[in-house]
Every structure is written in structure tokens, then in C-alpha cells.
């Protein structure tokens, strides 16, 4: 394999951050610690034509992104002149690679011949990414939908039933599209990773055609301040994989299982006889839950960024959503 890219994808709260932090411990891998969200947008707009006008538009998209703002706050962002130079490549694919390599290096990584991106929602853009980057590989990490729903509620108040519906739809899309890519696509179960990190990371390195490095089995720091899974020694702990036992009511677990049944059965999270119980989110459930769900998420953004930052973040994500890239 040449210099990538490697796209780490999967539902949020499924271990994408953990996987990125482990892979970044490899001397040959450089993945920025911030999520982009704009790569599908850049590709859709500019992959066929990338002249002066398109370069200016690409500059504005990156400059106005949460990715750039996070880098700026961390002191790692290129200034406007450097960003213009990075985006002034022969085509948009080269511009994206130059930007991502530069940002990874600014965070302390070596130039690394394998660059990448960890943006969970890229899971619904695998065909676009694969076509734009013929040597790209897609690593899809999947977590038990019950655990994922409980984690999403604990962190930002997401409704468990709506979380389950989203998990079923997006995981099914990523698996369907990923299977068409052959060896360029690989799935990894979160539960298996934390249970035997060395074995799973050896397989990932082999798939990436990289020599195994023991550093990828330990963390320098917790990957997620909301649910750290690293002890002081940096070892990965499997002690927090069963959120549903503590945080979801039995009725909620049963309803989640009904919603996700077809996909969860394929993945082995539910027995085959669960298929008869399949029942999607009803109109009444959606009507009751959507407003509360959005209100709780808005509250999370307010606590995290304040009013101005929350409005800015929601507006940007809404813009990307309307364009079909988020």
C-alpha cells in the first residue's frame, strides 16, 4: 500500500476516537485529531474542475469549518496565506492530502507515508471517497447498538430509540457500500478490540501492509474525556463495554433490539429468532422524541461552546446536512 488515505469511519460513540489514537501511535501513520466533515463536500464540488475560482471556494469552506476552528484554538492551524498555498494544488485530492498531512505534522506526528482522516459520518460516503482516492482504505468500527445508544444518551442526551434507528440505517449503508470495495474495506468490532487489543491491531496493521508496532496497543492519553478507557499505564480496559446493563431500562433495551434487528442479526449482536420482533420507530414515537432529542443535543453544545459557538456549530452542520455530506 502507498501513502493512503485511511478513512476511519463508524457511528459516533463507537470507538472511532480510540481507534485513531491507537493507530496514531504507529510511526508510519499520521491522522489529525480533529474531524473534517468537509472532504465529501470538496470532492463533490471540485473533483472534476479545480481552477482558481474553485480553489478560492475550497479555501473558504476549510477556513470556515469546525475543523479549522478547532485547530486554531489548539494553536495548530495554518494562517491564511499558508492555507491558500495548501489548497493551491493541481486538484482537490492533492489539496486535501496536503492539508491533512500538514495538520498531522503540526500535532507532533512525523510526515508519515500513510495519512488519514477520522470523521465518523464518512461512513455514508464510502463510494465517493473510494472513487476519488483509488488507494484509499476504509476501516469501519462497529459497536453493539444498545451500548452505543446508552453512551450517546449519557454524553449528549441523545434519545436511545432515535440513536438505534440511526445506527441501523448508517451501519447498513456502510456495510453495503463497503462490501463492494473488496480488501479496501475492513470491519472491526469495538468489543473485540477492547477485549484483545494486540490481536486486533496486529490484524489491522497486516491489512494496511504495515509492520506491527507495539505502540498501537497502548494509549498516551484517554481518547475521550467523556468516557476514558485508559488506565494510568495506558492499557485498554474492557470494563465499560456493557453500558446497557447499567444505563438502559429493560423496556428500552427491548425496543432498541426491535428497531435494529435486521442489521444486528447480520452482525451477530442478536439471535436469528429476533427477526420476528423487528419494528421500526413509529410516527408517534418520533413525534414525541425528536424535539426532546434536539433540545438535549443543543444543551450539550451550549455547555461545550457557549451560545455563539453552539449556534455556529449547528449552522455549519445544518449546511453540510443540506448538501448531503453530513
Amino acid at each position: 500500500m502507498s501513502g493512503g488515505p485511511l478513512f476511519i469511519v463508524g457511528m459516533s460513540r463507537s470507538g472511532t476516537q480510540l481507534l485513531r489514537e491507537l493507530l496514531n501511535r504507529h510511526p508510519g501513520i499520521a491522522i489529525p485529531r480533529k474531524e473534517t466533515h468537509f472532504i465529501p463536500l470538496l470532492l463533490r464540488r471540485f473533483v472534476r474542475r479545480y481552477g482558481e475560482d474553485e480553489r478560492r471556494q475550497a479555501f473558504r469552506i476549510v477556513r470556515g469549518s469546525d475543523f479549522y476552528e478547532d485547530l486554531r484554538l489548539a494553536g495548530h492551524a495554518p494562517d491564511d496565506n499558508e492555507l491558500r498555498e495548501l489548497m493551491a494544488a493541481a486538484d482537490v485530492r492533492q489539496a486535501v492530502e496536503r492539508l491533512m498531512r500538514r495538520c498531522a505534522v503540526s500535532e507532533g506526528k512525523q510526515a508519515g507515508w500513510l495519512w488519514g482522516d477520522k470523521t465518523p459520518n464518512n461512513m455514508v460516503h464510502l463510494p465517493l471517497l473510494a472513487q476519488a482516492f483509488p488507494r484509499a482504505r476504509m476501516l469501519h468500527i462497529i459497536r453493539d447498538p444498545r451500548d452505543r445508544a446508552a453512551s450517546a444518551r449519557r454524553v449528549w442526551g441523545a434519545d436511545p430509540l432515535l440513536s438505534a434507528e440511526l445506527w441501523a440505517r448508517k451501519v447498513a449503508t456502510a456495510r453495503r457500500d463497503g462490501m463492494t470495495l473488496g480488501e479496501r474495506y475492513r470491519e472491526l468490532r469495538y468489543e473485540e478490540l477492547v477485549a484483545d487489543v494486540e490481536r486486533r491491531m496486529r490484524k489491522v496493521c497486516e491489512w494496511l501492509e504495515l509492520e506491527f508496532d507495539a505502540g498501537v496497543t497502548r494509549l498516551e492519553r484517554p481518547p475521550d474525556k467523556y468516557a476514558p478507557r485508559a488506565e494510568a499505564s495506558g492499557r485498554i480496559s474492557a470494563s465499560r463495554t456493557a453500558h446497557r446493563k447499567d444505563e438502559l431500562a429493560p423496556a428500552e433495551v427491548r425496543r432498541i433490539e426491535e428497531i435494529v434487528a435486521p442489521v444486528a442479526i447480520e452482525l451477530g449482536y442478536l439471535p436469528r429468532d429476533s427477526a420476528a420482533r423487528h419494528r421500526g420507530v413509529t410516527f408517534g414515537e418520533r413525534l414525541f422524541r425528536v424535539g426532546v432529542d434536539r433540545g438535549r443535543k443543543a444543551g450539550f453544545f451550549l455547555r461545550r461552546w457557549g451560545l455563539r459557538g453552539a449556534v455556529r456549530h449547528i449552522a455549519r452542520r445544518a449546511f453540510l446536512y443540506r448538501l448531503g455530506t453530513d
Side-chain angles (χ1 to χ4, degrees):
M1 182 181 177
S2 68
L6 167 64
F7 291 103
I8 298 174
V9 301
M11 292 297 296
S12 55
R13 311 307 308 164
S14 293
T16 55
Q17 290 188 47
L18 171 65
L19 186 54
R20 180 196 60 205
E21 292 300 305
L22 291 173
L23 285 169
N24 259 341
R25 295 272 287 157
H26 196 289
I29 299 176
I31 303 174
R33 288 194 171 99
K34 308 300 180 183
E35 298 175 4
T36 59
H37 294 276
F38 55 67
I39 291 179
L41 172 59
L42 295 180
L43 295 176
R44 285 184 177 176
R45 284 195 170 187
F46 310 128
V47 75
R48 291 184 177 87
R49 174 180 169 81
Y50 196 59
E52 287 301 319
D53 288 344
E54 289 77 20
R55 292 187 182 100
R56 284 193 290 270
Q57 293 177 49
F59 167 84
R60 288 195 292 268
I61 289 171
V62 174
R63 183 64 175 80
S65 67
D66 284 330
F67 174 78
Y68 186 89
E69 181 65 11
D70 288 342
L71 288 174
R72 187 188 66 80
L73 293 174
H76 297 151
D79 61 27
D80 285 358
N81 289 333
E82 184 183 1
L83 181 58
R84 288 190 180 92
E85 291 178 4
L86 291 169
M87 303 310 292
D91 61 50
V92 70
R93 291 162 292 199
Q94 292 182 20
V96 168
E97 177 173 354
R98 290 170 61 176
L99 173 66
M100 300 302 284
R101 286 187 181 277
R102 189 280 188 198
C103 293
V105 170
S106 73
E107 293 176 348
K109 290 293 297 183
Q110 298 299 316
W113 59 271
L114 177 57
W115 67 279
D117 176 43
K118 191 284 286 186
T119 298
N121 202 59
N122 281 342
M123 67 192 295
V124 298
H125 303 294
L126 299 188
L128 175 66
L129 297 170
Q131 183 176 19
F133 299 101
R135 295 175 177 174
R137 298 202 179 186
M138 321 295 176
L139 184 52
H140 180 194
I141 186 165
I142 303 173
R143 186 180 188 182
D144 186 309
R146 295 158 293 196
D147 293 346
R148 190 266 167 186
S151 181
R153 181 171 67 179
R154 175 169 44 82
V155 172
W156 56 68
D159 181 83
L161 271 58
L162 299 182
S163 289
E165 181 182 51
L166 196 65
W167 182 96
R169 175 167 55 84
K170 288 191 173 183
V171 170
T173 297
R175 300 193 78 224
R176 180 198 66 211
D177 294 339
M179 294 303 179
T180 68
L181 302 178
E183 279 300 307
R184 297 173 63 192
Y185 173 79
R186 181 62 57 92
E187 292 178 356
L188 177 63
R189 306 296 176 83
Y190 170 80
E191 297 81 12
E192 294 175 348
L193 174 63
V194 298
D196 192 345
V197 64
E198 180 174 343
R199 179 184 177 189
R200 300 303 167 184
M201 294 307 292
R202 280 186 180 276
K203 289 184 176 295
V204 170
C205 288
E206 180 181 356
W207 172 65
L208 292 173
E209 300 175 26
L210 288 172
E211 183 178 348
F212 176 74
D213 187 287
V216 301
T217 67
R218 305 170 80 86
L219 292 168
E220 290 183 297
R221 61 181 186 176
D224 182 352
K225 66 182 179 180
Y226 304 110
R229 296 183 179 87
E231 299 177 2
S233 63
R235 291 189 295 112
I236 306 301
S237 170
S239 62
R240 297 183 62 88
T241 60
H243 292 294
R244 65 184 184 276
K245 296 179 180 177
D246 302 322
E247 302 179 24
L248 293 175
E252 289 178 314
V253 173
R254 287 193 298 271
R255 192 68 187 93
I256 289 171
E257 292 173 349
E258 292 172 348
I259 293 167
V260 303
V263 184
I265 289 170
E266 287 183 6
L267 289 163
Y269 287 122
L270 291 176
R272 289 286 172 185
D273 59 10
S274 301
R277 298 167 47 200
H278 174 55
R279 184 167 62 95
V281 176
T282 67
F283 175 79
E285 287 173 330
R286 192 183 311 282
L287 185 65
F288 175 75
R289 294 170 180 271
V290 166
V292 176
D293 179 75
R294 292 179 179 175
R296 288 174 176 170
K297 289 177 181 177
F300 169 80
F301 295 143
L302 282 170
R303 293 190 299 273
R304 185 175 183 182
W305 291 308
L307 179 60
R308 182 178 179 183
V311 170
R312 182 169 170 268
H313 173 80
I314 292 170
R316 285 176 174 169
R317 296 298 288 271
F319 172 70
L320 292 173
Y321 181 81
R322 286 197 302 272
L323 293 173
T325 60
D326 201 21

